[in-house]
Amino acid sequence: MTCPLCSADAPLQDFPVTGGAEGATAAICATCVEQIEGTPDPAHWRGLAGAIWSEEPAVQVLAARMLGRIDEVWANDLADQMYLDDETRAWVDNVETTLEHRDSNGALLARGDTVVLIKDLPVKGAGFTAKRGTAVRGISLVADNAGHIEGRVEGQRIVILTEFVKKK
């Protein structure tokens, strides 16, 4: 069988397409499944030019979601050309977003945790440098960015990149 997303001639497997009709699936190849669940390789997704015109709504939804994840000129052009009815567009946009804030070692951070800075960080606009080893108690998580937390250092509330902290 031919994969409707990448046009590869490979065995297909049912892949659940969430956010729409109950139990909706699309039969796609294992390579597409891997890349949907991981980091997409733009070269693999050139077949989306045909997938955006599929008669199967689940395939259209997957194609639209992948085009949104690929930061290439050709992908943006395809996304602009794609036509979706209102119901399918709502399905494309109905994606659960679960942001997980993780420290430099991959430990999950939660509101109120204490973290330690692993690098000297110049604080813009405050005129000081937050030193390595400084404990930041009672952090807050930035709701729309998994790479940012907030905390008090030397009496100033600052935004800190999670890649420069470790959970204590």
Side-chain angles (χ1 to χ4, degrees):
M1 298 287 297
T2 302
C3 179
L5 293 178
C6 69
S7 303
D9 190 21
L12 304 181
Q13 59 189 35
D14 284 338
F15 182 79
V17 184
T18 59
E22 184 72 27
T25 62
I28 60 175
C29 70
T31 306
C32 286
V33 171
E34 278 180 35
Q35 293 203 16
I36 288 171
E37 294 173 344
T39 304
D41 173 21
H44 175 78
W45 294 103
R46 290 291 187 154
L48 290 178
I52 63 173
W53 305 112
S54 174
E55 292 184 16
E56 291 184 49
V59 172
Q60 282 187 319
V61 168
L62 287 175
R65 288 178 180 172
M66 288 312 300
L67 286 172
R69 290 180 54 196
I70 299 170
D71 188 25
E72 298 273 331
V73 173
W74 65 265
N76 294 335
D77 290 344
L78 275 180
D80 290 342
Q81 294 172 17
M82 186 174 200
Y83 170 77
L84 297 172
D85 59 37
D86 293 338
E87 184 178 317
T88 307
R89 172 58 61 195
W91 187 0
V92 169
D93 296 337
N94 188 16
V95 178
E96 276 188 37
T97 55
T98 55
L99 290 180
E100 290 184 337
H101 293 73
R102 295 191 177 270
D103 72 1
S104 61
N105 296 325
L108 191 61
L109 297 172
R111 184 173 175 263
D113 281 348
T114 298
V115 296
V116 176
L117 301 180
I118 61 170
K119 177 182 174 181
D120 288 352
L121 301 173
V123 180
K124 294 180 182 175
F128 70 93
T129 300
K131 298 294 184 188
R132 183 175 134 224
T134 301
V136 182
R137 291 171 178 73
I139 64 167
S140 300
L141 307 177
V142 176
D144 59 347
N145 190 334
H148 292 168
I149 59 171
E150 292 183 358
R152 287 202 177 275
V153 175
E154 294 187 25
Q156 295 276 342
R157 186 131 184 106
I158 63 171
V159 174
I160 307 166
L161 298 179
T162 57
E163 64 189 273
F164 299 126
V165 300
K166 68 177 180 178
K167 190 172 182 176
K168 190 168 183 184

